[in-house]
Amino acid sequence: MTEDIAKAQGQQPPIPNPALQDLEVFVGNWHVELSRTSFLSNPSATANGFASEWQEKGAYLVIRQGDKQSPPFSTWIIGRDESTETYKLFYFDTWAVSRIYDMSFQGGVWKLWRKAPGHCQRFTGIFSEDGKHITACWEKSRTGNIWEPDFDLTYSKIC
């Protein structure tokens, strides 16, 4: 997506931060299906999408999820210090929710987690072998000890 725009404008496409190269599989447009949601007015709703692209010439990966017309629409900014294996994901949505997650991505397994007083969360997403589908789930916990399912997602890459 970003690469095509850069080529059309006669520019070099962004080169991602070498510490983020493994995240190239995220770049593109995705269809998202939610299930078992309790936070949306329609529990069987589908999200209107997930788009990911490099920003600042590849220094960060930015993901935008949802539709600004039907909340929640969220922006995620992902970066990593090359001296560590853990990424940081900065999250903000149209409901004014702001969170910072730790993130890992290894062997096709995407994990996010945060431990906050009274509201811990963790996410696991498994990529298909071809990298075009992600089966994922969020879990929540008040203490970080006893976890319960929150909701499930299925991502399908469109382009």
Side-chain angles (χ1 to χ4, degrees):
M1 183 165 99
T2 303
E3 192 171 310
D4 293 337
I5 293 168
K7 285 180 184 175
Q9 295 174 347
Q11 302 171 358
Q12 289 287 75
I15 298 170
N17 173 345
L20 304 181
Q21 286 179 340
D22 290 346
L23 303 184
E24 181 66 32
V25 69
F26 288 91
V27 175
N29 293 312
W30 298 76
H31 172 75
V32 183
E33 290 186 31
L34 299 151
S35 56
R36 294 188 309 113
T37 61
S38 60
F39 59 89
L40 296 175
S41 56
N42 177 0
S44 61
T46 60
N48 287 332
F50 169 107
S52 176
E53 64 184 359
W54 297 115
Q55 292 289 305
E56 300 298 323
K57 297 184 180 178
Y60 304 99
L61 183 68
V62 174
I63 296 172
R64 291 177 179 82
Q65 184 167 296
D67 181 346
K68 290 182 180 179
Q69 309 310 317
S70 55
F73 174 79
S74 61
T75 301
W76 312 2
I77 300 172
I78 302 170
R80 186 183 83 148
D81 178 331
E82 68 276 350
S83 69
T84 180
E85 294 295 317
T86 304
Y87 301 88
K88 293 292 182 185
L89 184 149
F90 296 86
Y91 172 96
F92 184 78
D93 68 28
T94 51
W95 291 338
V97 173
S98 178
R99 298 195 171 126
I100 300 173
Y101 294 92
D102 288 305
M103 179 181 130
S104 66
F105 182 64
Q106 294 179 332
V109 179
W110 176 23
K111 293 187 176 188
L112 302 169
W113 63 94
R114 72 186 279 271
K115 192 167 188 171
H119 188 65
C120 301
Q121 294 175 289
R122 65 185 183 190
F123 166 97
T124 302
I126 309 294
F127 274 75
S128 62
E129 290 227 4
D130 64 4
K132 295 184 181 200
H133 301 280
I134 308 166
T135 303
C137 67
W138 278 98
E139 296 175 292
K140 60 185 177 180
S141 172
R142 291 181 191 257
T143 64
N145 296 320
I146 300 171
W147 292 89
E148 63 183 82
D150 196 3
F151 61 97
D152 297 325
L153 302 103
T154 303
Y155 298 87
S156 300
K157 197 166 196 175
I158 300 166
C159 62

